[in-house]
Amino acid sequence: MRVGFGLPVSGSWATPSLLAEVAVEAERLGYDSLWTFQRLLASDAAAVYESVLDPIVALTFAAARTSKIRLGVAVINAPFVSPVVLAKQVATLDVLSGGRVDLGLGAGWSPDEFTATGASPERRGARIREYVAVLRALWSGEASFDGEFYTVPPSRMEPRPVQRPGVPILLGGAVPAAIRRAGEIGDGWISRSATDLSDISSDVALVREGAVSSGRASPRIVCRGVLKVTDLELDADGRAPLSGTYEQIREGAAWLGTQGVTEVFHDLNWDSLITLDPAAARDRALRILHNLAPVGLG
């Protein structure tokens, strides 16, 4: 199973120096990937969303300081960005990074962000199906698309991504229809921060059903690993898979692999001791990064 790490993109630890340091050190330690997420506006829903770096810009910053680790976003909300604009941004990042990008797409959930971007929350499932098709058409070299929601006149978009036929597209989603759709039209599925990881096998089954129904290859299952690191070992009963001591978290990550997860990335952007405490952020983040380096999990 592949093991990645969430970049410092939210709260007090999201500084240029720490973002660069985490990116370089994660690559040196053998992590497979680095991840960001999108939040356009501050929300009362969670403190983690009060200050968030743009995900594509942050990945570009990390790309300039690394050479082989993959660069993923989990996720960009498709309704808020034109597919033509995103296709250009992502293709450019793929070229500049030497073909290392994974694009996660979501359908959006924040009413404030729908209002502020002028996007419609209606028929999001149908829209994201077209959105994915537009991205792939633009990355194919010769683009033309005439759909219900998006139209692209006959044209070309250059440069194309280094990865062919295009950048892998992973879909988020929490309801059964969205999870199944990730297998039907995407290259895989990304779990969200609130996903119940103890029951992730049922989500994996839905993704695989969707993939089989459309004749697609085995989908990737990427798990956002929101960590709860403790000094004392937690009781097994009711313990979340990625909580407890470092050894318990390693055991939990290995268990996720038995449930069908192909990739997990440890994300500290939900750790209040890091995001809200500038004095402790660097030491705690680097300590966790080192102690969970993917030795023996590959």
Side-chain angles (χ1 to χ4, degrees):
M1 182 171 64
R2 295 177 178 176
V3 180
F5 204 82
L7 280 170
V9 293
S10 176
S12 66
W13 79 316
T15 65
S17 60
L18 191 51
L19 195 157
E21 187 174 9
V22 167
V24 170
E25 193 65 358
E27 181 170 80
R28 188 187 72 80
L29 290 169
Y31 283 88
D32 295 288
S33 53
L34 297 167
W35 294 84
T36 61
F37 69 90
Q38 181 193 56
R39 191 84 279 132
L40 297 177
L41 299 175
S43 169
D44 292 335
V48 69
Y49 298 141
E50 289 182 0
S51 176
V52 181
L53 298 177
D54 178 85
I56 297 296
V57 175
L59 288 179
T60 305
F61 189 81
R65 288 155 175 78
T66 57
S67 61
K68 59 184 179 181
I69 196 166
R70 290 196 65 80
L71 308 162
V73 52
V75 294
I76 286 178
N77 292 298
F80 307 152
V81 186
S82 158
V84 178
V85 173
L86 186 62
K88 172 63 76 173
Q89 291 176 328
V90 172
T92 299
L93 177 55
D94 203 57
V95 169
L96 296 177
S97 68
R100 294 189 278 146
V101 180
D102 287 314
L103 173 62
L105 290 178
W109 60 264
S110 167
D112 289 344
E113 291 181 344
F114 274 102
T115 298
T117 58
S120 171
E122 303 300 323
R123 303 188 61 208
R124 281 176 284 177
R127 287 176 182 273
I128 205 163
R129 286 181 182 274
E130 275 201 12
Y131 199 104
V132 170
V134 171
L135 292 178
R136 290 184 171 141
L138 290 165
W139 291 335
S140 70
E142 298 292 335
S144 178
F145 192 89
D146 187 11
E148 180 182 356
F149 306 106
Y150 305 106
T151 300
V152 179
S155 55
R156 291 186 298 115
M157 176 175 282
E158 298 288 350
R160 295 172 61 188
V162 171
Q163 299 178 89
R164 300 295 170 86
V167 171
I169 298 173
L170 306 165
L171 299 185
V175 300
I179 296 172
R180 194 174 192 277
R181 184 165 57 243
E184 292 174 348
I185 66 170
D187 295 296
W189 174 67
I190 300 175
S191 70
R192 61 182 185 143
S193 59
T195 298
D196 180 4
L197 300 184
S198 65
D199 190 35
I200 201 168
S201 61
S202 60
D203 296 326
V204 172
L206 284 173
V207 180
R208 289 176 172 171
E209 285 176 15
V212 169
S213 71
S214 58
R216 301 178 65 82
S218 298
R220 291 165 58 184
I221 308 293
V222 181
C223 172
R224 181 191 295 280
V226 177
L227 298 181
K228 181 181 179 181
V229 181
T230 62
D231 294 328
L232 298 177
E233 187 170 305
L234 299 179
D235 292 337
D237 293 342
R239 180 178 68 85
L242 297 178
S243 63
T245 63
Y246 294 121
E247 184 58 32
Q248 286 184 308
I249 291 171
R250 284 182 174 277
E251 291 172 358
W255 177 81
L256 288 171
T258 69
Q259 304 304 295
V261 173
T262 61
E263 306 165 47
V264 60
F265 67 95
H266 301 310
D267 199 341
L268 303 182
N269 286 292
W270 275 257
D271 185 328
S272 61
L273 294 179
I274 287 177
T275 60
L276 300 180
D277 186 352
R282 180 182 179 276
D283 288 346
R284 178 172 172 82
L286 292 178
R287 184 167 61 251
I288 293 172
L289 179 72
H290 279 256
N291 278 283
L292 293 178
V295 177
L297 282 176

